[in-house]
């Protein structure tokens, strides 16, 4: 359960309607305190009570566990700030709740402030880099004034984000609906309709023009206006100044209209005036010449119709404004993710074939925000955008799809060379007055490779590839259709893996550990295998998927159960050999895992010396403060402890000397070609000396040649395993192998 997220129940469709109906643009918000220390929580409530008393929040909610908090979040709207303890019912309960809020519920607005009394349980640097939280404080650092300041600033941030999000949700619906309406919502088409209707009202002749003219700014005079649209005469050019004969004819009436800001009529001439609006750049004028003098009735019709025209111009201005809000990034005033999705949606088959999508993201942006000032990071964002704009001169558009990520759409024939993009990944920028380097990760996608993908699939695949590139330490990656196929394959394999757990499709193979001097077996290593139908799935295929999905702990539990059964079976045949089994830090945090070991010893009377728990050097050192006490507990039960893959991580000598362990296993990478590789020889000698000083025994992994064995013996390493002696075998095959290799017999 240690890696599972808290799952929210799906709400009925009516609930979503209620959310829309009740949404507010001026929400106060709620506070949620999640802490299993009730006395500390009471002190928080006392300090935060002013926020309720002063009307700054609607209420303060409390929960004493992550599970309880998950239920509260699912049923309470407008939670603005969560004060969250990390260690509650489980050591990582708080962090899993963060993942649930962000990834399952999809709530990116709520501000999460971690408050922990055990900083070692969740190191600040690791947590800030891996989880989407807003602030991290040790409880010892928080006093009354700091708490009020932290909550107050996060409340203000949430309100701004909440109001903008509510506005955008509404604006998105409005602008998308507007694009489907009649052409009168398009300015050019709207004006053309207006001219036709005005001409119809006043009865102009075939060759008598009705025009719409505009000015560049409110201060411009009539001689600086230009024709926006017209009907009638063929002697008028759109985009050009008004012809002289029309200029002379309408000048007096125009000047009266601009002074009074009203429509003007004289004889058979009309000037409908639509003054400058703050959303527009200049005045609009409808100039019309009738065949006859206008009657009072015609003037009245034109005045009434003028009000409709004015509303139409305001409506178009509003739509333009809504479009900016829906499709523009508020900070940089460039396109946003909504725009990118819309453009991808409107592309036809031919467009996609000739279009390239490039995603550029600033590395470690969140952690750098903690190191440098917010102002400096805003400057980095602006400078990065400017550099991208200078790099891409001719593009369909540059959009900002995340805080530190940009997406560029360009024609394939105007694309930037890969070599240039690789060089572009290294940047220099000024941070608080100092020039510092920072890096970018770039993903290039040819949309021709995604002809059947939806816009959202294209976006998700691009972001997924960006994440994968960072995980692999690559700064530039080009999308390959095989990547999507691999994702689908992994997804299917994950489902099969979950089903395999239920259907008991796993079995154990055991590889002997031998005395290198005699070849006599002295122990075994248990390795989990998966047989799906008649196919054996390699561990290097399913183990990474299990680790990434968080179900590796379930597989480790299965491996431990099968190991215990193997020990019993071997004992029945007269063999007593310790069996090592792999464990992770998360396994050791699970009470069910430790209970299985303790029950095997206390209830099933398995000799604890036959249980050899292996944990990697990296995990043992990274989680030393929490792991070592657990290892000491197992050690007290006489369970054997081995440190696997030694030499591949970074150990503290102070920690390794005090680690509750019995054996160090030298990773096979240092055994390969040992006789001729001086570097490997030095590592092996160093490990052997360290083991001697700390009182550890040593096991060498991956011995495949006699030369490697002899080299190990010459350096004083007497225990090892590898294909030179035996491959991993199923239990029945192992029994036959043991008959001819004189294993140690049971002496009850």
């Amino acid at each position: 359960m240690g890696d599972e997220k808290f799952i929210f129940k799906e709400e009925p469709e009516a609930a979503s309607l209620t959310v829309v109906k009740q949404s507010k643009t001026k929400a106060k918000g709620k506070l949620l305190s999640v802490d299993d220390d009730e006395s500390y929580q009471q002190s928080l409530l006392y300090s935060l009570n002013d926020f309720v008393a002063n009307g700054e929040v609607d209420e303060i909610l409390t929960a004493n566990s992550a599970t309880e908090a998950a239920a509260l979040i699912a049923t309470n709207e407008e939670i603005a700030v969560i004060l969250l303890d990390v260690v509650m019912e489980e050591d990582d309960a708080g962090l899993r709740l963060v993942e649930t809020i962000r990834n399952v519920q999809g709530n990116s607005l709520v501000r999460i402030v971690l408050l922990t009394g055990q900083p070692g349980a969740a190191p600040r640097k690791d947590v800030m880099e891996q989880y989407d939280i807003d602030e991290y404080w040790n409880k010892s650092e928080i006093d009354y004034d700091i708490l009020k300041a932290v909550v107050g600033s996060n409340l203000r941030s949430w309100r701004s984000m909440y109001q903008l999000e509510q506005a955008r949700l509404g604006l998105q619906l409005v602008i998308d609906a507007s694009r489907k309406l009649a052409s009168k919502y398009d300015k050019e088409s709207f004006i053309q309709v207006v001219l036709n209707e005005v001409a119809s009202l006043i009865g102009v002749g075939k060759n008598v023009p009705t025009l719409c003219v505009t000015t560049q700014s409110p201060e411009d005079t009539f001689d600086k206006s230009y024709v926006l649209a017209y009907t009638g005469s063929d002697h008028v050019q759109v985009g050009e100044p008004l012809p002289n004969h029309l200029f002379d004819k309408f000048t007096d009436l125009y000047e009266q209209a601009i002074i009074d800001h009203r429509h003007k009529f004289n004889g058979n001439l009309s000037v409908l005036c639509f003054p400058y609006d703050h959303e527009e750049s200049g005045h609009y004028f409808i100039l019309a010449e009738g065949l006859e003098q206008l009657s009072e009735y015609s003037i009245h019709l034109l005045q009434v119709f003028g009000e409709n025209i004015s509303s139409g111009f305001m409506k178009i201005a509003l739509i333009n404004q809504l479009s900016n809000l829906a499709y523009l990034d508020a900070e940089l005033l460039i396109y946003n993710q909504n725009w990118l999705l819309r453009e991808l949606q409107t592309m036809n088959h031919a467009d996609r074939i000739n279009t390239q999508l490039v995603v550029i993201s600033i590395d470690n942006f969140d952690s750098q925000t903690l190191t440098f000032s917010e102002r400096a990071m805003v400057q980095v964002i602006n400078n990065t955008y400017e550099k991208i704009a200078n790099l891409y001169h001719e593009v369909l558009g540059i959009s900002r799809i995340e805080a530190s990520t940009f997406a560029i759409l360009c024609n394939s024939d105007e694309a930037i060379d890969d070599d240039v993009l690789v060089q572009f990944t290294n940047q220099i920028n000024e941070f608080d007055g100092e020039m510092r380097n920072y890096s970018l990760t770039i993903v290039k996608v040819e949309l021709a490779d995604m002809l059947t993908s939806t816009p959202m699939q294209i976006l998700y695949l691009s972001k997924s590839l960006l994440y994968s590139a960072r995980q692999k330490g690559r700064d530039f990656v080009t999308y390959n259709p095989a990547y999507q196929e691999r994702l689908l394959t992994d997804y299917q394999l994950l489902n099969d893996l979950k089903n395999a757990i239920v259907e008991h499709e796993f079995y154990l193979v055991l590889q002997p550990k031998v005395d290198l001097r005699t070849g006599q077996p002295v122990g075994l290593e248990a390795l989990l295998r998966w047989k799906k139908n008649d196919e054996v799935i390699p561990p290097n295929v399913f183990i990474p998927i299990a680790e990434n999905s968080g179900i590796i702990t379930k597989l480790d539990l299965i491996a431990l159960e099968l190991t215990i059964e193997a020990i019993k079976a071997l004992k029945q045949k007269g063999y007593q050999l310790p069996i090592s089994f792999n464990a992770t830090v998360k396994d050791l945090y699970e009470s069910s895992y430790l209970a299985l070991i303790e029950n095997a010893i206390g209830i099933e009377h398995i000799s604890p010396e036959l249980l050899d728990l292996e944990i990697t050097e990296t995990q043992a050192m990274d989680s030393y403060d929490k792991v070592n006490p657990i290892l000491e507990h197992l050690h007290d039960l006489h369970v054997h402890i081995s440190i696997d893959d030694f030499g591949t991580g970074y150990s503290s000598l102070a920690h390794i000397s005090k680690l509750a362990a019995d054996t160090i296993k030298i990773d096979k990478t240092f055994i390969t070609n040992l006789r001729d590789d001086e570097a490997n020889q030095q590592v092996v000698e160093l490990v052997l000396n360290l083991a001697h000083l700390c009182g550890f025994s040593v096991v060498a992994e991956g011995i495949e040649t006699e030369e490697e064995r002899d080299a190990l013996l010459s350096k004083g390493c007497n225990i090892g395993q590898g294909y030179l002696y035996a491959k991993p075998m199923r239990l029945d095959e192992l029994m036959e192998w043991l008959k001819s290799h004189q294993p140690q017999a049971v002496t009850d």
Side-chain angles (χ1 to χ4, degrees):
M1 180 177 178
D3 223 35
E4 296 174 355
K5 298 181 178 66
F6 301 94
I7 304 300
F8 292 87
K9 292 178 61 178
E10 291 187 5
E11 298 186 18
E13 291 184 7
S16 63
L17 295 176
T18 302
V19 171
V20 173
K21 185 183 295 183
Q22 294 179 353
S23 64
K24 305 173 184 178
T25 57
K26 293 185 178 180
K28 292 182 180 179
K30 302 175 183 179
L31 303 180
L32 172 61
S33 172
V34 186
D35 202 309
D36 61 354
D37 185 343
E38 295 187 12
S39 62
Y40 182 80
Q41 192 172 69
Q42 287 301 315
S43 68
L44 283 181
L45 295 179
Y46 178 82
S47 300
L48 297 173
N49 191 52
D50 287 347
F51 286 93
V52 178
N54 297 333
E56 295 179 68
V57 298
D58 293 321
E59 63 178 313
I60 301 176
L61 306 173
T62 62
N64 299 123
S65 68
T67 304
E68 183 181 353
L72 277 174
I73 296 168
T75 56
N76 282 272
E77 299 174 20
E78 298 178 3
I79 292 180
V81 181
I82 300 176
L83 302 175
L84 176 62
D85 191 12
V86 178
V87 180
M88 289 178 287
E89 65 265 47
E90 294 175 349
D91 291 342
D92 62 343
L95 298 180
R96 289 192 293 109
L97 179 60
V98 174
E99 291 188 359
T100 297
I101 294 169
R102 298 305 194 204
N103 301 328
V104 177
Q105 190 186 27
N107 188 341
S108 60
L109 298 182
V110 65
R111 309 288 288 183
I112 300 177
V113 179
L114 288 190
L115 299 176
T116 180
Q118 302 181 38
R124 186 190 303 265
K125 180 181 178 182
D126 294 343
V127 168
M128 295 301 288
E129 289 181 353
Q130 296 178 27
Y131 295 88
D132 185 7
I133 62 172
D134 301 289
E135 292 195 43
Y136 183 121
W137 290 85
N138 295 333
K139 290 180 179 179
S140 60
E141 300 172 344
I142 289 286
D143 59 21
Y144 175 81
D145 292 332
I146 292 177
L147 179 65
K148 292 196 68 175
V150 168
V151 173
S153 65
N154 280 282
L155 270 174
R156 290 190 293 273
S157 298
W158 177 84
R159 286 177 187 136
S160 298
M161 295 164 61
Y162 180 86
Q163 292 170 15
L164 181 59
E165 183 66 13
Q166 292 300 315
R168 283 187 174 175
L169 289 174
L171 296 177
Q172 186 71 55
L173 295 175
V174 171
I175 189 62
D176 287 341
S178 298
R179 297 176 73 86
K180 300 176 183 178
L181 295 179
S183 59
K184 61 183 178 180
Y185 288 91
D186 171 73
K187 184 163 63 177
E188 285 72 20
S189 300
F190 170 78
I191 291 174
Q192 201 64 51
V193 170
V194 167
L195 296 183
N196 292 335
E197 293 300 320
V198 169
S200 176
L201 283 174
I202 65 176
V204 300
K206 180 178 180 181
N207 296 319
V208 179
T210 303
L211 310 99
C212 176
V213 299
T214 186
T215 54
Q216 295 284 6
S217 70
E219 291 77 20
D220 284 348
T221 54
F222 194 34
D223 60 322
K224 294 183 179 180
S225 64
Y226 64 93
V227 177
L228 194 62
Y230 76 97
T231 62
S233 174
D234 291 333
H235 301 295
V236 178
Q237 298 294 323
V238 173
E240 297 293 329
L242 201 63
N244 289 334
H245 69 285
L246 292 176
F247 178 82
D248 294 339
K249 184 179 293 187
F250 283 97
T251 295
D252 292 341
L253 209 56
Y254 163 84
E255 290 178 350
Q256 295 175 37
I258 198 66
I259 291 173
D260 295 339
H261 291 276
R262 296 176 59 186
H263 309 313
K264 293 296 180 179
F265 309 95
N266 184 17
N268 65 335
L269 300 179
S270 305
V271 174
L272 304 182
C273 175
F274 305 99
Y276 168 77
D277 184 273
H278 72 280
E279 299 295 342
E280 298 295 331
S281 58
H283 297 294
Y284 289 101
F285 301 92
I286 305 297
L287 312 179
E289 182 180 2
L291 293 175
E292 301 177 353
Q293 180 170 325
L294 296 174
S295 65
E296 291 186 7
Y297 175 73
S298 296
I299 291 174
H300 178 70
L301 286 180
L302 285 175
Q303 288 174 329
V304 172
F305 188 54
E307 293 303 314
N308 293 329
I309 298 171
S310 180
S311 298
F313 277 122
M314 291 177 62
K315 185 184 297 183
I316 291 171
L318 176 61
I319 291 174
N320 290 336
Q321 182 183 13
L322 297 181
S323 181
N324 287 342
L325 288 172
Y327 295 113
L328 286 185
D329 177 77
E331 185 177 3
L332 295 182
L333 298 180
I334 64 173
Y335 297 130
N336 61 14
Q337 180 172 288
N338 291 334
W339 174 88
L340 177 64
L341 292 173
R342 185 190 68 183
E343 291 303 303
L344 293 172
Q345 183 66 50
T346 57
M347 283 185 179
N348 57 33
H349 183 85
D351 291 335
R352 284 203 182 183
I353 289 177
N354 296 309
T355 303
Q356 183 182 101
L357 171 66
V358 178
V359 179
I360 300 178
S361 184
I362 302 172
D363 294 333
N364 303 316
F365 182 80
D366 292 337
S367 59
Q368 288 187 70
T369 302
L370 298 175
T371 305
F372 303 101
S373 68
E374 182 177 352
R375 178 185 55 78
M377 298 315 296
V378 169
Q379 186 63 42
V380 169
I381 288 289
N382 281 275
N383 287 354
T384 302
Y385 166 68
E386 291 174 2
K387 292 176 180 179
I388 293 173
N390 290 332
L391 183 66
Y392 284 91
H393 299 293
E394 299 292 335
V395 293
L396 301 176
I398 301 174
S399 59
R400 186 184 185 190
I401 60 175
E402 289 181 356
S404 58
T405 305
F406 299 90
I408 302 97
L409 281 177
C410 65
N411 293 327
S412 296
D413 55 0
E414 296 171 346
I416 304 299
D417 290 341
D418 289 357
D419 292 342
V420 176
L421 290 177
V422 170
Q423 294 178 2
F424 193 72
T425 59
N426 296 310
Q427 294 292 331
I428 299 177
N429 198 78
E430 183 175 329
F431 287 78
D432 291 336
E434 296 183 18
M435 300 305 295
R436 297 180 181 270
N437 295 325
Y438 69 100
S439 61
L440 307 174
T441 299
I442 300 179
V443 167
K444 186 181 76 172
V445 179
E446 297 291 348
L447 295 187
D449 293 329
M450 293 187 173
L451 294 177
T452 60
S453 300
T454 67
M456 195 61 74
Q457 286 173 336
I458 294 173
L459 182 63
Y460 283 160
L461 278 169
S462 301
K463 289 184 177 181
S464 173
L465 190 59
L466 186 70
Y467 174 80
S468 176
R470 283 204 174 111
Q471 289 291 97
K472 296 177 180 178
R474 300 174 62 184
D475 51 16
F476 176 75
V477 176
T478 298
Y479 172 79
N480 187 306
Y483 177 75
Q484 184 175 7
E485 295 174 6
R486 186 167 67 254
L487 288 180
L488 295 174
T489 300
D490 288 351
Y491 178 75
Q492 182 59 52
L493 198 60
L494 176 59
N495 289 332
D496 292 342
L497 196 56
K498 293 177 180 178
N499 184 66
I501 295 173
V502 176
E503 298 297 328
H504 307 289
E505 295 177 359
F506 297 96
Y507 65 94
L508 212 61
V509 294
L510 299 148
Q511 185 175 35
K513 301 175 186 176
V514 302
D515 188 321
L516 302 184
R517 296 163 296 188
T518 65
Q520 181 183 22
V522 295
L524 303 165
E525 179 175 8
L527 301 167
L528 195 65
R529 295 292 185 263
W530 174 24
K531 188 173 184 180
K532 179 176 176 286
N533 299 325
D534 293 327
E535 179 186 4
V536 176
I537 310 298
N540 63 341
V541 172
F542 73 84
I543 293 297
I545 294 175
E547 290 174 341
N548 292 335
S549 64
I551 64 175
I552 188 64
T553 53
K554 295 182 179 180
L555 298 189
D556 289 343
L557 194 62
I558 292 172
L560 176 56
E561 291 171 343
L562 293 175
T563 297
I564 294 171
E565 294 301 318
I567 291 174
K568 294 178 185 177
L570 285 167
K571 185 174 181 179
Q572 289 179 355
K573 295 295 183 179
Y575 302 118
Q576 183 162 293
L577 292 169
I579 301 180
S580 62
F581 51 92
N582 295 315
T584 66
V585 167
K586 292 181 180 179
D587 294 331
L588 300 181
Y589 295 162
E590 289 285 349
S591 58
S592 58
Y593 190 85
L594 296 177
L596 182 58
I597 296 176
E598 292 168 350
N599 290 340
I601 298 170
I603 298 176
E604 301 188 53
H605 304 294
I606 299 292
S607 175
E609 289 82 3
L610 299 181
L611 294 169
D612 185 356
L613 183 145
E614 289 190 6
I615 185 170
T616 65
E617 175 195 12
T618 299
Q619 292 198 64
M621 291 300 105
D622 287 349
S623 307
Y624 176 82
D625 291 335
K626 292 180 64 177
V627 169
N628 201 44
I630 300 173
L631 297 180
E632 287 177 344
H633 169 68
L634 293 173
H635 218 237
D636 291 341
L637 297 176
H638 301 291
V639 173
H640 198 89
I641 308 295
S642 294
I643 305 303
D644 197 13
D645 298 339
F646 196 83
T648 61
Y650 299 92
S651 295
S652 163
L653 291 178
H655 287 168
I656 197 67
S657 62
K658 298 177 182 178
L659 192 63
D662 304 283
T663 300
I664 291 176
K665 298 189 72 176
I666 305 177
D667 188 73
K668 62 182 180 181
T669 57
F670 302 113
I671 306 303
T672 302
N673 198 26
L674 181 60
R675 172 164 288 181
D676 299 323
D677 192 319
E678 293 185 5
N680 283 354
Q681 292 176 17
Q682 292 175 357
V683 171
V684 170
E685 290 174 357
L686 180 63
V687 172
L688 290 169
N689 290 334
L690 180 62
H692 176 73
L693 289 172
C694 297
F696 299 137
S697 60
V698 176
V699 175
E701 296 182 295
I703 304 172
E704 297 186 357
T705 67
E706 294 181 358
E707 289 79 8
E708 292 169 353
R709 177 200 61 196
D710 294 342
L712 287 166
L713 284 172
S714 68
K715 296 182 183 302
C717 179
N718 298 325
I719 307 297
Q721 64 187 92
Y723 275 42
L724 177 63
Y725 296 97
K727 64 179 182 179
M729 297 171 280
R730 297 191 73 152
L731 189 59
D732 54 353
E733 187 180 358
L734 174 69
M735 294 289 194
E736 293 298 319
W737 185 90
L738 288 173
K739 289 179 182 179
S740 60
H741 287 81
Q742 301 178 352
Q744 180 179 350
V746 176
T747 56
D748 291 328

